[in-house]
């Protein structure tokens, strides 16, 4: 099946139109006409080879929403016309203990990523959602609740699940005291989801600049980390701190804000941090943890939860041809809070 997308041909070149083939659906495949694709920081890192592992051409995009256009003979759960989503994974071994527990993101063989991966059957490179069509194994296709605004759903399957999964893992619910550090694509979803789960939510940011936005997104309180007095008063007052900052930073000011047995979860920065001090961890049994997206069942649970609560990201819709400009704006954090590509603009 011929399709059209946008690809990076090298780390130095801007993304440009790219024609390629999608496989014919296998017996357990779902073919999808893509309506929208969210723009994640990982897309930008991949296009520019920031992690040193990019294979070119690279077609990014792992926040995909679309309609089923065809299904293989063995597909029972989807029919043509269904509204569906595809996130960061398109396959895994489905045999190991992690896969059996529904934690495919931690598959012992490594999950197959939506782009930059390798198909487990034929070895071909995987191409992501900056394209008109995609073909995906049925078990990795998600259902989209009918009531949600489709133009805003896409970021839920990366930014949404990345913040939802740790909130669920650490049992956030009514009465939980949650702080969210950083207010970009991930952080703004963390606020909405933690509020939706019933937690008391505080946003921590360097200055007061984002206070109004934080409260508008539903946060109950705002804490400026530059305010030493306020930081001292906030010691030992959180059960969970969701750290969404996507660059190297210092977590030492945040650890003492956790109560005994509290956990700071890193979901933004993939790489080094400033050296952490162990004293506040030891004197308070505080934990520093990390978390990677979520399993398929949990991602579906998150979509259904967002459907019931009508939780959606704040999005700015762009045309496919505006992607390079969007990347430049993302590098300056000049987006509220996620770009979503309207794939009807690609032809
Ligand atoms: Zn992502
Ligand atoms: Zn596995």
């Amino acid at each position: 099946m011929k399709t059209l997308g946008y690809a990076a041909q090298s780390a130095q070149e801007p993304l440009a139109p790219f024609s390629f083939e999608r496989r014919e659906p296998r017996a357990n495949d779902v073919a999808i006409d893509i309506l929208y694709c969210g723009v994640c920081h990982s897309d930008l890192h991949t296009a520019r080879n920031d992690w040193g592992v990019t294979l070119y051409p690279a077609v990014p995009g792992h926040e995909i929403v679309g309609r089923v256009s065809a299904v293989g003979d063995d597909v029972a759960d989807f029919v043509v016309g269904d509204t569906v989503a595809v996130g960061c994974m398109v396959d895994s071994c489905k045999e190991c203990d992690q896969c059996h527990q529904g934690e495919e993101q931690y598959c012992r063989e490594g999950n197959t990523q939506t782009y930059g991966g390798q198909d487990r059957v034929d070895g071909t490179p995987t191409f992501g959602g900056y394209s008109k069509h995609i073909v995906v194994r049925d078990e990795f296709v998600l259902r989209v609740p009918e009531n949600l605004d489709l133009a805003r759903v896409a970021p839920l399957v990366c930014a949404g699940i990345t913040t939802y999964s740790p909130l669920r893992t650490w049992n956030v619910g009514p009465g939980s005291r949650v702080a969210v550090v950083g207010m970009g694509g991930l952080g703004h979803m963390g606020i909405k989801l933690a509020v939706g789960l019933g937690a008391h939510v505080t946003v921590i940011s360097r200055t007061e600049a984002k206070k109004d936005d934080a409260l508008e997104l539903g946060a109950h309180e705002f804490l400026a980390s530059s305010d030493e007095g306020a930081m001292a008063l906030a010691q030992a007052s959180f059960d969970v701190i969701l750290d969404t900052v996507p660059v190297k930073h210092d977590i030492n000011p945040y650890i003492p804000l956790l109560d005994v047995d509290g956990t700071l979860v890193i979901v933004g920065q993939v790489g080094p941090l400033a050296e952490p001090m162990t004293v506040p961890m030891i004197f308070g049994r505080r934990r520093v943890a990390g978390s990677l997206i979520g399993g398929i069942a949990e991602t579906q649970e998150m979509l259904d939860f967002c459907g019931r609560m009508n939780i959606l990201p704040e999005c700015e819709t762009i045309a496919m041809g505006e992607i390079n400009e969007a990347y430049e704006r993302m590098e300056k954090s000049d987006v509220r809070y996620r770009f979503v590509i309207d794939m009807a603009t690609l032809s």
Side-chain angles (χ1 to χ4, degrees):
M1 183 202 301
K2 275 229 173 303
T3 191
L4 180 62
Y6 255 56
Q9 296 288 348
S10 78
Q12 288 76 36
E13 288 170 78
L15 270 68
F18 173 60
S19 291
F20 61 105
E21 291 274 336
R22 293 289 190 188
R23 65 174 182 261
E24 288 302 319
R26 300 173 191 135
N28 64 341
D29 272 343
V30 175
I32 299 163
D33 291 339
I34 299 177
L35 299 172
Y36 297 99
C37 185
V39 182
C40 172
H41 268 271
S42 305
D43 301 353
L44 190 161
H45 289 307
T46 297
R48 298 187 177 169
N49 200 21
D50 289 338
W51 294 323
V53 295
T54 302
L55 298 173
Y56 294 98
V59 179
H62 60 202
E63 297 180 343
I64 298 165
V65 167
R67 286 230 165 74
V68 174
S69 60
V71 295
D73 290 342
D74 295 346
V75 173
D77 293 338
F78 297 97
V79 297
V80 171
D82 282 353
T83 308
V84 293
V86 177
C88 304
M89 302 182 281
V90 287
D91 207 353
S92 70
C93 86
K94 282 295 197 182
E95 302 282 339
C96 73
D97 60 332
Q98 294 303 313
C99 286
H100 278 301
Q101 288 169 45
E103 305 262 34
E104 299 90 350
Q105 73 277 32
Y106 303 123
C107 174
R108 302 288 180 185
E109 292 187 6
N111 70 68
T112 304
Q113 301 202 325
T114 303
Y115 61 81
Q118 208 179 23
D119 183 77
R120 298 181 103 83
V121 177
D122 62 22
T124 56
T126 58
F127 291 126
Y130 293 7
S131 58
K132 298 294 276 185
H133 313 93
I134 193 166
V135 178
V136 178
R137 179 178 177 175
D138 57 351
E139 286 152 299
F140 288 77
V141 177
L142 301 147
R143 295 184 170 283
V144 175
E146 289 298 329
N147 60 305
L148 290 176
D149 175 1
L150 290 188
R152 293 170 64 192
V153 166
L156 292 178
V157 294
C158 175
I161 188 61
T162 296
T163 47
Y164 182 81
S165 182
L167 294 172
R168 296 283 288 133
T169 297
W170 281 279
N171 298 313
V172 166
S176 301
R177 300 160 299 169
V178 173
V180 177
V181 182
M183 234 178 67
L186 289 174
H188 100 288
M189 278 316 307
I191 298 167
K192 290 186 179 215
L193 291 165
V195 169
L197 289 165
H200 187 83
V201 178
T202 301
V203 170
I204 304 178
S205 185
R206 192 160 308 157
T207 66
E208 299 264 333
K210 290 184 171 169
K211 183 172 180 176
D212 291 346
D213 272 12
L215 299 178
E216 209 166 290
L217 290 169
H220 305 98
E221 288 183 59
F222 186 88
L223 175 58
S225 58
S226 57
D227 182 341
E228 280 178 30
M231 288 290 277
L233 278 174
Q235 299 238 331
S237 68
F238 298 112
D239 304 303
V240 172
I241 299 177
L242 200 57
D243 180 346
T244 70
V245 177
V247 294
K248 184 176 178 181
H249 60 287
D250 185 4
I251 60 173
N252 288 308
Y254 309 125
I255 300 173
L257 306 182
L258 292 167
D259 205 346
V260 175
D261 279 328
T263 304
L264 180 143
V265 194
I266 295 161
V267 294
Q269 162 66 341
V270 183
L273 290 173
E275 210 167 291
M277 240 105 70
T278 64
V279 173
M281 291 186 233
I282 291 168
F283 288 77
R285 202 162 55 199
R286 299 173 171 105
R287 304 181 190 91
V288 174
S291 180
L292 175 69
I293 51 173
I296 292 298
E298 192 173 54
T299 307
Q300 187 64 62
E301 175 193 304
M302 178 273 311
L303 283 169
D304 295 342
F305 173 74
C306 290
R308 285 197 306 280
M309 307 290 289
N310 201 29
I311 292 174
L312 284 168
E314 302 301 308
C315 299
E316 190 175 326
T317 307
I318 61 168
M320 186 70 255
E322 296 173 313
I323 187 66
N324 295 301
E325 188 194 334
Y327 279 0
E328 281 173 30
R329 286 185 50 198
M330 278 166 71
E331 288 192 303
K332 294 182 280 190
S333 300
D334 174 24
V335 52
R336 287 187 178 190
Y337 280 90
R338 204 68 152 178
F339 288 116
V340 173
I341 305 160
D342 179 353
M343 217 46 74
T345 62
L346 174 62
S347 56

